[in-house]
Amino acid sequence: MLLPTSTVGKKIMMAITGQVLAIFIFFHIAGNSTIFFHALNGYVVALYKLPLFVWGGRLVLFLAFVFHIWYGTVLKLENHAAKPEPYAKTRYLQATFAGRNQIWTGVIVAVFLIYHLLQFTFQVTNPAVAADTHPDALGRPDIFMMVAQSFRQIGISGVYVVSLAALGLHLLHGIQSSFQTWGMNNERTLPVIEKTGNVVSVLLFFWYCAIPVAIVLGLLKG
Amino acid sequence: MILDGKIPSGPLHEKWDKRLSEMKLVNPANKRKHRIIVIGTGLAGASAAASLGELGYTVDVFCFQDSPRRAHSISAQGGINAAKNYPNDGDSIERLFYDTIKGGDFRSREANVYRLAQLSANIIDQCVAQGVPFARDYAGYLTTRSFGGAQVSRTFYARGQTGQQLLLGAYGALSRQIRAGTVTLHPRTEMLDLVVIDGHAKGITVRDLVTGRIGSHAADAVCLCSGGYTNVFFLTTNSIMSGVTATYRAYKKGAYFANPCFTQIHPTCIPVTGEHQAKLTLMSESLRNDGRVWVPKIKGDKRPANDIPESERDYYLERKYPAFGNLAARDVTSRATKEVCDEGRGVGPGGRGVYLDLGGAIGRLGENTIRERYGNLFEMYERITDENAYKQPMRIYPAPHYAMGGLWVDYDLQSNLPGLFVLGEANFSDHGANRLGASALMQGLADGYFIIPYTIANYLANIEPGAVAPDAPEFQKSCEEVEAFTKGLFAVKGKKTAHEFHRELGKLMWNNVGMSRSEASLKEALKRIPEIRDEFWKNVTIPGSGRELNQELEKAGRVADFLEFAELLTRDALQRDESCGAHFRVEHQTADGEAMRDDKNFSYVSAWEYKGVDKEPELHKEPLVFEHAHLAVRSYK
Amino acid sequence: MNLTLYVWRQKNSKDKGRLVRYEAKNVSTDMSFLEMLDVVNEGLIVKGEDPIAFDSDCREGICGMCGQVVNGVPHGPRKKTTLCQLHMRHFKDNDTLYIEPFRAKAFPVIKDLIVDRGAFDKIIQSGGYVSVHTGGVPDGNTLLIPKHDADTAMDAAECIGCGACVAACPNGSAMLFTAAKVSHLAALPQGRVEAARRVCAMTEEMLAQGFGNCSNHYECEAVCPKGIKVKFIAKLNREFIKAQMPGNESCTGRG
Ligand SMILES: Cc1cc2nc3c(=O)[nH]c(=O)nc-3n(C[C@H](O)[C@H](O)[C@H](O)COP(=O)(O)OP(=O)(O)OC[C@H]3O[C@@H](n4cnc5c(N)ncnc54)[C@H](O)[C@@H]3O)c2cc1C
Ligand code: HEM
Ligand code: SF4
Ligand code: FES
């Protein structure tokens, strides 16, 4: 087995983990969209009634992240070493901004993720609005209040939009790239996959932004 | 001296088998102890080195490019012949043999040509097994096309890149042996001398083109597969590094140079555009299958091609050679083209060009079919000329292309120096006075895959491996000579570049020793060449030093050899007082301008022995005996 | 027309190297890019200066020997065209051209614009062939090959090994080159027998030679003078995945 060390093997690890994360990204926003129907708190409670699912999912995601970051870093370092001298004049014909900055959008996402976990999962950044210590009328942790109060601060929403832009860019390259890595491309499918990937990435970006933006604009009130 | 080609006795079709059964073998356990040097990684060199390595010999292979895959063979476009008779159109070994003998205007050795035809079918099989993607039909079978003056369809091809694909096949086989450790590769290394000890070839002296280091390699046998010398004409279809250096320096060490005046002019090249030009580009001959060649009927007609009505076009090949039409042999076509241009009916800048018109075929078969067949050629034409050949006819003109002459070898491909074998375009053996299209690739691979493995064993079986130590004084001396030659070049410190001398020599050769030759033009060339050479040695300039990568030094070395070799070529042309194949002496032509052979006096191979730079070389003859083929007047009418 | 050139000059592999300015005067539009450099060189030699060293041989786009980076693009601005086939009519009077060698760790500069591409040969040596002996092979027509497969093989086999793909790749990856060879042989029945071993050995060798990994930027495809498609990289990936399947114990590394 050459999988984990070979040049294609490493990329396949990136593609598997990246696709797992991307699938999570989709379900995450789908679930979070209950906020638009004032059902966020109920959704979270329902979710926590499935501890195996939650903890299993968390483990998979954690592993996916670890491997994704590990291999991403290894690849980047190897690639950097393989091209030690830059050209005096550089011109890209096909490589996109997103593709070339995959590592940096990835780093932004990672840093953001830590912040995001501290904020909403561990709830240590803004204790004043922590959901676990502020139950709603039904006695559930008031996730909605926590989110709404946080996003009402323009600065926090700004951080989210910027980070989500980074995620969007990451997926812009990542989705089509992962299909190519799996070898699921030929002349006919490549353009289709590229376009679909782009559309999905952009949609995800807007979908995610919809929550903080709606809150900032006052469209979503408790 | 009368040379002996060592042709086995017996009926023609049994000669090779007979020879095979007579030949000695080398004990498998001993093969490793025999060191063989192969110069060149073209079809001949790569196939030879791979096959010999596989047999277990210790092989060193040299080329001056950075990778074996870049040898000049890579540029062959059209295809490779084989007497497979797949299309059921009446081909046979006998017919391929006869076509090749006749194409060569009866100036090649019967037995060699017959063997070539016999081996041709094996080559295709070998290449298919290697994964060469030859063209196939919808049923999955190999397809062929007719090519270069043949009336049967026996040319196998891989789009317009047959040479590339065949070479990549051989390069793969070679790479496999390099990996296995039987073959050691020496890229960017140029052979500058042959080391001869007690009359046997025992090694070479080379210059490492990156470091400039000059050193020798000892061996038990040397295979020269260094390609042709056509670049003596400067503007040719050959790769720009192709030279005569390897064969010429072997000649200076005693190997005989045979038929140097037999050089082929290819009829369909893109015309010259200006002084700056470094080389000419071939438009594959296969275009003649669907294209018609014409010029305007009136002199100096300046109208664009499409405005000249059918009735005012002269399809001169169809007119002069009704049977073969646009497919007449290369030499015949080239001369007819020169003739109409000399009459002032040529087209394009300078009037040195004729139309190759695929308009009719596009009308008949549709642009798509033509695109499928020749798309890459049309693209290439467009890149160079900025003209769209789907809309207007191509312009073409003949250009020097191939060297039929080369070092003299016997039936075993061994030169007169024992231990020196010569393969591919570098030898003289199979194409006589004119080569048919798609037969050079065939010869290179036949030599390398299927002949040398046996014949070299026969030589090696008789000698003791490693008999000569690499520190023998002859190697030392050879290195000193090469060093002295290099020093001599740097010492001139003149004002003109090697390139300028090459261009000057090329012009002289093209005008005086090119498509048609006369006693007067040849004598003038014989006077001018030494003058140019003298000036070269007084006025060439080479910057830098020999202890580094120095492309000017490389070039100057090659030009220096051309400046001597050109004289040999011209002398041979003067000596051959007849017209045959591509060698056209204006004194010997029929009333309608066809070549007139003189079988009584010139049915021989001329093989020249070196006697010194400014001394006349000595001519040896190998009589050509035709036991099988009937000597006929070649007619394409 | 007249051009200003900034050309990378580097005496040898140890020298640091720098861009040097030259003027190319009266350049004819019928010249190829390399002929333009020939003329510049003639001028330098006559002045007693070291000419610009660059590789070329066939000058008709097939040997893969030539190659430089012109204004950031390997083989210059014209699609599917090698430098030797690029004509000056594609430039404008008074253009400024930056001319640099192909750059990648696996392609060390030897002198000026000449780089060492021996690593490509090493990749092929690791398995880029069918392991057939000379002689003893069956008739060419005993293996029927669907036209489509033969055409696909040929599409991939057209690679000239010039290295532009590596030069263009931000990662200095040789995936397009390697994929072309893997795909050529994998498309044919003769090549299938060793397909698993080949893809493993060649990709391992690629890494060992110091080439980078593929990030699917497709910059290679954009500059490839032979139009080799990145679908062949997908094909290589597929072949690699197939090679990992049980039963392919031959897949153990560098050939
Ligand atoms: C444009 C073009 C198209 C052609 N098309 C066809 C065709 O369709 N069909 C056909 O049959 N033939 C064709 N030919 C002819 C054919 O390609 C050649 O005759 C044939 O490939 C020669 O092969 P070779 O192995 O003898 O030598 P080459 O391929 O010329 O190889 C010579 C080798 O020797 C090496 N070498 C030379 N000198 C030295 C030295 N001093 N030191 C070290 N190494 C040295 C070189 O590096 C090179 O590797 C064509 C030729 C041209 C120019
Ligand atoms: C939710 C978060 C993330 C998702 C959904 C995601 C998704 C993806 C996908 C689908 C790919 C394409 C894989 C391929 O080319 O086959 C990819 C590539 C990559 N990711 Fe992520 N990723 C995420 C987070 C990160 C993080 C945190 C990093 C941090 C280092 C990162 C670094 C990279 C890099 C460097 C690549 C390119 C690898 C290469 O082609 O060389 N990603 N990502
Ligand atoms: S894939 Fe294209 S760019 Fe790369 S080496 Fe082959 S021909 Fe050159
Ligand atoms: S010189 Fe051969 S490809 Fe450019």
Side-chain angles (χ1 to χ4, degrees), chain B residues 39-45 62-65 71-73 75-79 147 189-191 225-227 237-238 245-246 282 401-402 423-426 435 438-441, chain C residues 60:
Chain B
I39 293 120
T41 57
L43 288 179
F62 297 80
C63 67
F64 47 45
Q65 292 89 349
H72 166 63
S73 293
S75 13
Q77 305 171 348
F147 192 80
T189 308
E190 185 166 21
M191 168 198 166
C225 316
S226 55
T237 62
N238 286 25
T245 295
L282 179 77
H401 177 59
Y402 181 85
L423 283 64
E425 193 174 339
R435 176 177 70 82
S439 58
L441 301 181
Chain C
E60 53 181 73

Short mmCIF file of all heavy atoms in Angstrom, two decimals, chain B residues 39-45 62-65 71-73 75-79 147 189-191 225-227 237-238 245-246 282 401-402 423-426 435 438-441, chain C residues 60, ligand 1:
data_model
loop_
_atom_site.label_atom_id
_atom_site.label_comp_id
_atom_site.label_asym_id
_atom_site.label_seq_id
_atom_site.Cartn_x
_atom_site.Cartn_y
_atom_site.Cartn_z
N ILE B 39 27.11 4.80 -30.46
CA ILE B 39 27.01 6.25 -30.60
C ILE B 39 25.72 6.57 -31.32
O ILE B 39 25.53 6.19 -32.48
CB ILE B 39 28.21 6.84 -31.34
CG1 ILE B 39 29.46 6.66 -30.48
CG2 ILE B 39 28.02 8.33 -31.59
CD1 ILE B 39 30.47 5.84 -31.14
N GLY B 40 24.85 7.26 -30.63
CA GLY B 40 23.58 7.64 -31.22
C GLY B 40 22.42 6.91 -30.56
O GLY B 40 22.52 5.74 -30.21
N THR B 41 21.34 7.64 -30.39
CA THR B 41 20.14 7.07 -29.78
C THR B 41 18.93 7.29 -30.66
O THR B 41 17.82 7.39 -30.20
CB THR B 41 19.87 7.71 -28.40
OG1 THR B 41 19.76 9.12 -28.60
CG2 THR B 41 20.97 7.41 -27.43
N GLY B 42 19.18 7.42 -31.97
CA GLY B 42 18.07 7.46 -32.92
C GLY B 42 17.50 6.06 -33.02
O GLY B 42 17.78 5.18 -32.19
N LEU B 43 16.71 5.83 -34.06
CA LEU B 43 16.10 4.51 -34.19
C LEU B 43 17.16 3.43 -34.22
O LEU B 43 17.04 2.40 -33.56
CB LEU B 43 15.26 4.45 -35.46
CG LEU B 43 13.97 5.25 -35.39
CD1 LEU B 43 13.22 5.16 -36.70
CD2 LEU B 43 13.11 4.73 -34.26
N ALA B 44 18.23 3.66 -34.97
CA ALA B 44 19.27 2.65 -35.08
C ALA B 44 19.97 2.45 -33.74
O ALA B 44 20.08 1.33 -33.24
CB ALA B 44 20.27 3.05 -36.17
N GLY B 45 20.43 3.54 -33.15
CA GLY B 45 21.21 3.44 -31.91
C GLY B 45 20.39 2.93 -30.74
O GLY B 45 20.83 2.04 -29.99
N PHE B 62 25.83 6.81 -26.25
CA PHE B 62 26.15 8.24 -26.25
C PHE B 62 25.23 9.02 -27.17
O PHE B 62 24.87 8.53 -28.24
CB PHE B 62 27.58 8.46 -26.75
CG PHE B 62 28.63 7.81 -25.88
CD1 PHE B 62 28.89 6.46 -25.97
CD2 PHE B 62 29.33 8.57 -24.95
CE1 PHE B 62 29.84 5.86 -25.17
CE2 PHE B 62 30.28 7.99 -24.14
CZ PHE B 62 30.55 6.63 -24.24
N CYS B 63 24.86 10.22 -26.74
CA CYS B 63 24.19 11.13 -27.67
C CYS B 63 24.49 12.56 -27.26
O CYS B 63 24.85 12.80 -26.11
CB CYS B 63 22.67 10.90 -27.69
SG CYS B 63 21.83 11.31 -26.17
N PHE B 64 24.37 13.48 -28.19
CA PHE B 64 24.71 14.86 -27.80
C PHE B 64 23.50 15.66 -27.32
O PHE B 64 23.65 16.74 -26.80
CB PHE B 64 25.55 15.61 -28.85
CG PHE B 64 25.08 15.52 -30.28
CD1 PHE B 64 23.76 15.67 -30.62
CD2 PHE B 64 26.01 15.31 -31.29
CE1 PHE B 64 23.35 15.61 -31.93
CE2 PHE B 64 25.61 15.24 -32.62
CZ PHE B 64 24.28 15.39 -32.94
N GLN B 65 22.30 15.11 -27.50
CA GLN B 65 21.14 15.79 -26.93
C GLN B 65 21.08 15.51 -25.42
O GLN B 65 21.82 14.67 -24.92
CB GLN B 65 19.85 15.29 -27.57
CG GLN B 65 19.67 15.67 -29.03
CD GLN B 65 20.26 14.65 -29.98
OE1 GLN B 65 20.98 13.76 -29.59
NE2 GLN B 65 19.96 14.81 -31.25
N ALA B 71 16.74 12.31 -30.33
CA ALA B 71 17.52 12.07 -31.55
C ALA B 71 16.70 12.46 -32.77
O ALA B 71 15.47 12.43 -32.75
CB ALA B 71 17.92 10.61 -31.63
N HIS B 72 17.41 12.77 -33.82
CA HIS B 72 16.77 13.30 -35.03
C HIS B 72 15.65 12.41 -35.58
O HIS B 72 14.70 12.91 -36.19
CB HIS B 72 17.86 13.54 -36.07
CG HIS B 72 17.36 13.76 -37.43
ND1 HIS B 72 16.57 14.84 -37.74
CD2 HIS B 72 17.48 13.04 -38.56
CE1 HIS B 72 16.24 14.77 -39.01
NE2 HIS B 72 16.78 13.68 -39.53
N SER B 73 15.72 11.12 -35.36
CA SER B 73 14.66 10.22 -35.84
C SER B 73 13.28 10.68 -35.38
O SER B 73 12.28 10.35 -36.00
CB SER B 73 14.87 8.80 -35.29
OG SER B 73 16.02 8.21 -35.81
N SER B 75 11.83 13.30 -35.68
CA SER B 75 11.08 14.20 -36.57
C SER B 75 10.45 13.51 -37.76
O SER B 75 9.73 14.15 -38.50
CB SER B 75 11.91 15.39 -37.04
OG SER B 75 13.24 15.23 -36.79
N ALA B 76 10.75 12.23 -37.97
CA ALA B 76 10.16 11.57 -39.13
C ALA B 76 8.64 11.58 -39.02
O ALA B 76 8.09 11.28 -37.98
CB ALA B 76 10.67 10.15 -39.27
N GLN B 77 7.99 11.96 -40.10
CA GLN B 77 6.54 12.17 -40.02
C GLN B 77 5.75 11.03 -40.63
O GLN B 77 4.87 10.45 -40.01
CB GLN B 77 6.18 13.49 -40.75
CG GLN B 77 6.94 14.69 -40.24
CD GLN B 77 6.74 15.92 -41.12
OE1 GLN B 77 6.21 15.84 -42.22
NE2 GLN B 77 7.15 17.08 -40.63
N GLY B 78 6.09 10.71 -41.87
CA GLY B 78 5.18 9.97 -42.73
C GLY B 78 4.87 8.54 -42.36
O GLY B 78 3.72 8.15 -42.25
N GLY B 79 5.89 7.73 -42.16
CA GLY B 79 5.57 6.35 -41.86
C GLY B 79 6.72 5.40 -42.10
O GLY B 79 7.83 5.80 -42.41
N PHE B 147 2.59 5.55 -49.98
CA PHE B 147 3.49 6.61 -49.60
C PHE B 147 4.70 6.63 -50.51
O PHE B 147 5.20 5.59 -50.93
CB PHE B 147 3.97 6.32 -48.17
CG PHE B 147 4.68 7.44 -47.49
CD1 PHE B 147 3.96 8.48 -46.94
CD2 PHE B 147 6.06 7.45 -47.40
CE1 PHE B 147 4.62 9.53 -46.30
CE2 PHE B 147 6.72 8.49 -46.76
CZ PHE B 147 6.00 9.52 -46.22
N THR B 189 26.99 14.26 -24.63
CA THR B 189 28.38 13.85 -24.80
C THR B 189 28.61 13.64 -26.29
O THR B 189 27.84 12.95 -26.94
CB THR B 189 28.63 12.51 -24.06
OG1 THR B 189 28.17 12.66 -22.71
CG2 THR B 189 30.10 12.16 -24.05
N GLU B 190 29.64 14.27 -26.82
CA GLU B 190 29.87 14.19 -28.26
C GLU B 190 31.12 13.38 -28.56
O GLU B 190 32.19 13.63 -28.01
CB GLU B 190 30.00 15.60 -28.85
CG GLU B 190 30.13 15.57 -30.37
CD GLU B 190 29.93 16.93 -31.01
OE1 GLU B 190 30.10 17.95 -30.31
OE2 GLU B 190 29.62 16.98 -32.22
N MET B 191 30.96 12.41 -29.46
CA MET B 191 32.11 11.63 -29.89
C MET B 191 32.95 12.48 -30.84
O MET B 191 32.46 13.04 -31.80
CB MET B 191 31.65 10.38 -30.63
CG MET B 191 32.79 9.70 -31.32
SD MET B 191 32.19 8.58 -32.58
CE MET B 191 33.69 8.25 -33.48
N CYS B 225 25.93 4.97 -34.85
CA CYS B 225 24.54 5.13 -35.30
C CYS B 225 24.24 6.62 -35.27
O CYS B 225 23.30 7.07 -34.62
CB CYS B 225 23.58 4.38 -34.39
SG CYS B 225 24.13 2.73 -33.94
N SER B 226 25.10 7.38 -35.91
CA SER B 226 25.10 8.83 -35.69
C SER B 226 24.30 9.60 -36.72
O SER B 226 24.34 10.82 -36.74
CB SER B 226 26.54 9.32 -35.65
OG SER B 226 27.20 8.92 -36.83
N GLY B 227 23.56 8.92 -37.59
CA GLY B 227 22.68 9.64 -38.51
C GLY B 227 23.40 10.16 -39.73
O GLY B 227 24.56 9.82 -39.99
N THR B 237 16.23 19.77 -43.93
CA THR B 237 15.14 19.37 -43.03
C THR B 237 15.68 18.70 -41.77
O THR B 237 14.91 18.31 -40.91
CB THR B 237 14.22 18.36 -43.73
OG1 THR B 237 14.99 17.19 -44.03
CG2 THR B 237 13.63 18.92 -44.99
N ASN B 238 16.99 18.54 -41.68
CA ASN B 238 17.55 17.82 -40.54
C ASN B 238 17.60 18.70 -39.29
O ASN B 238 17.61 19.93 -39.38
CB ASN B 238 18.95 17.34 -40.86
CG ASN B 238 18.93 16.15 -41.81
OD1 ASN B 238 17.98 15.96 -42.56
ND2 ASN B 238 19.96 15.36 -41.77
N THR B 245 30.33 14.68 -37.98
CA THR B 245 31.51 14.53 -37.14
C THR B 245 31.84 13.08 -36.78
O THR B 245 32.97 12.64 -36.96
CB THR B 245 31.35 15.37 -35.86
OG1 THR B 245 31.31 16.74 -36.28
CG2 THR B 245 32.49 15.18 -34.89
N ALA B 246 30.86 12.34 -36.30
CA ALA B 246 31.16 10.98 -35.85
C ALA B 246 31.68 10.12 -36.99
O ALA B 246 32.73 9.48 -36.88
CB ALA B 246 29.92 10.35 -35.23
N LEU B 282 9.91 20.18 -43.33
CA LEU B 282 9.32 19.25 -44.28
C LEU B 282 7.81 19.24 -44.11
O LEU B 282 7.30 19.26 -43.01
CB LEU B 282 9.88 17.87 -43.95
CG LEU B 282 9.41 16.71 -44.79
CD1 LEU B 282 10.14 16.76 -46.11
CD2 LEU B 282 9.72 15.41 -44.08
N HIS B 401 17.57 16.54 -47.59
CA HIS B 401 16.76 15.83 -46.62
C HIS B 401 17.46 14.62 -46.03
O HIS B 401 17.37 14.34 -44.83
CB HIS B 401 15.48 15.38 -47.33
CG HIS B 401 14.55 14.57 -46.49
ND1 HIS B 401 14.02 15.06 -45.33
CD2 HIS B 401 14.05 13.33 -46.65
CE1 HIS B 401 13.22 14.13 -44.81
NE2 HIS B 401 13.24 13.08 -45.58
N TYR B 402 18.16 13.85 -46.85
CA TYR B 402 18.61 12.55 -46.37
C TYR B 402 19.92 12.19 -47.05
O TYR B 402 20.16 12.57 -48.19
CB TYR B 402 17.54 11.49 -46.71
CG TYR B 402 17.90 10.11 -46.24
CD1 TYR B 402 17.62 9.71 -44.93
CD2 TYR B 402 18.54 9.20 -47.09
CE1 TYR B 402 17.96 8.43 -44.50
CE2 TYR B 402 18.89 7.94 -46.66
CZ TYR B 402 18.60 7.56 -45.36
OH TYR B 402 18.94 6.30 -44.92
N LEU B 423 25.38 1.66 -38.37
CA LEU B 423 23.95 1.34 -38.51
C LEU B 423 23.15 2.58 -38.89
O LEU B 423 23.54 3.70 -38.57
CB LEU B 423 23.40 0.83 -37.18
CG LEU B 423 23.69 -0.61 -36.73
CD1 LEU B 423 25.17 -0.82 -36.49
CD2 LEU B 423 22.95 -0.90 -35.43
N GLY B 424 22.00 2.36 -39.48
CA GLY B 424 21.07 3.44 -39.75
C GLY B 424 21.56 4.34 -40.86
O GLY B 424 22.28 3.91 -41.77
N GLU B 425 21.17 5.61 -40.78
CA GLU B 425 21.51 6.54 -41.85
C GLU B 425 23.02 6.71 -41.98
O GLU B 425 23.52 7.13 -43.03
CB GLU B 425 20.81 7.89 -41.59
CG GLU B 425 20.83 8.81 -42.80
CD GLU B 425 20.03 10.09 -42.60
OE1 GLU B 425 19.13 10.12 -41.72
OE2 GLU B 425 20.29 11.05 -43.33
N ALA B 426 23.75 6.41 -40.93
CA ALA B 426 25.20 6.62 -40.96
C ALA B 426 25.90 5.66 -41.92
O ALA B 426 27.01 5.95 -42.37
CB ALA B 426 25.76 6.45 -39.55
N ARG B 435 16.56 7.20 -51.82
CA ARG B 435 15.79 6.42 -50.87
C ARG B 435 14.30 6.63 -51.10
O ARG B 435 13.85 7.75 -51.30
CB ARG B 435 16.14 6.83 -49.44
CG ARG B 435 15.31 6.14 -48.39
CD ARG B 435 15.75 6.52 -47.00
NE ARG B 435 15.43 7.89 -46.67
CZ ARG B 435 14.26 8.32 -46.24
NH1 ARG B 435 13.27 7.48 -46.09
NH2 ARG B 435 14.07 9.59 -45.93
N ALA B 438 9.61 6.41 -46.33
CA ALA B 438 9.22 5.44 -45.31
C ALA B 438 10.13 4.22 -45.23
O ALA B 438 9.76 3.20 -44.68
CB ALA B 438 7.76 4.99 -45.48
N SER B 439 11.33 4.33 -45.81
CA SER B 439 12.22 3.18 -45.74
C SER B 439 13.42 3.42 -44.83
O SER B 439 14.15 2.48 -44.51
CB SER B 439 12.68 2.77 -47.13
OG SER B 439 13.32 3.86 -47.74
N ALA B 440 13.63 4.67 -44.39
CA ALA B 440 14.77 4.93 -43.51
C ALA B 440 14.47 4.42 -42.10
O ALA B 440 15.32 3.84 -41.43
CB ALA B 440 15.09 6.41 -43.46
N LEU B 441 13.23 4.63 -41.69
CA LEU B 441 12.85 4.16 -40.35
C LEU B 441 12.96 2.64 -40.30
O LEU B 441 13.46 2.05 -39.34
CB LEU B 441 11.41 4.59 -40.04
CG LEU B 441 11.16 6.10 -40.09
CD1 LEU B 441 9.71 6.40 -39.75
CD2 LEU B 441 12.08 6.83 -39.13
N GLU C 60 11.32 21.98 -35.25
CA GLU C 60 9.98 21.87 -35.83
C GLU C 60 8.97 21.31 -34.84
O GLU C 60 7.97 20.74 -35.23
CB GLU C 60 9.99 21.12 -37.16
CG GLU C 60 10.65 19.77 -37.15
CD GLU C 60 10.60 19.13 -38.56
OE1 GLU C 60 11.34 19.60 -39.43
OE2 GLU C 60 9.84 18.18 -38.75
C1 LIG D 1 11.87 15.83 -41.38
C2 LIG D 1 12.19 14.40 -41.66
C3 LIG D 1 11.17 13.48 -41.90
C4 LIG D 1 11.46 12.15 -42.16
N1 LIG D 1 10.42 11.30 -42.40
C5 LIG D 1 10.70 9.99 -42.62
C6 LIG D 1 9.63 9.07 -42.82
O1 LIG D 1 8.45 9.43 -42.82
N2 LIG D 1 9.93 7.78 -43.03
C7 LIG D 1 11.23 7.34 -43.05
O2 LIG D 1 11.44 6.16 -43.20
N3 LIG D 1 12.25 8.19 -42.84
C8 LIG D 1 12.02 9.51 -42.63
N4 LIG D 1 13.06 10.37 -42.44
C9 LIG D 1 14.43 9.87 -42.38
C10 LIG D 1 14.71 9.23 -41.03
O3 LIG D 1 14.09 9.97 -40.02
C11 LIG D 1 16.18 9.16 -40.69
O4 LIG D 1 16.91 8.74 -41.74
C12 LIG D 1 16.43 8.21 -39.54
O5 LIG D 1 15.59 8.52 -38.47
C13 LIG D 1 17.85 8.18 -39.09
O6 LIG D 1 17.96 7.44 -37.90
P1 LIG D 1 19.34 7.11 -37.25
O7 LIG D 1 19.07 6.29 -36.07
O8 LIG D 1 20.23 6.54 -38.26
O9 LIG D 1 20.00 8.49 -36.83
P2 LIG D 1 19.44 9.74 -36.03
O10 LIG D 1 18.06 9.59 -35.60
O11 LIG D 1 19.81 10.92 -36.82
O12 LIG D 1 20.28 9.72 -34.70
C14 LIG D 1 21.58 10.14 -34.63
C15 LIG D 1 22.04 9.99 -33.21
O13 LIG D 1 23.45 10.08 -33.15
C16 LIG D 1 23.85 10.96 -32.16
N5 LIG D 1 25.10 11.54 -32.62
C17 LIG D 1 25.41 11.99 -33.85
N6 LIG D 1 26.68 12.41 -33.87
C18 LIG D 1 27.18 12.21 -32.64
C19 LIG D 1 28.43 12.45 -32.04
N7 LIG D 1 29.43 12.98 -32.72
N8 LIG D 1 28.58 12.13 -30.74
C20 LIG D 1 27.56 11.59 -30.02
N9 LIG D 1 26.36 11.34 -30.55
C21 LIG D 1 26.17 11.66 -31.84
C22 LIG D 1 22.73 11.93 -32.01
O14 LIG D 1 22.73 12.42 -30.71
C23 LIG D 1 21.53 11.04 -32.27
O15 LIG D 1 21.15 10.43 -31.06
C24 LIG D 1 12.79 11.71 -42.20
C25 LIG D 1 13.80 12.63 -41.95
C26 LIG D 1 13.52 13.96 -41.72
C27 LIG D 1 14.64 14.92 -41.55
#
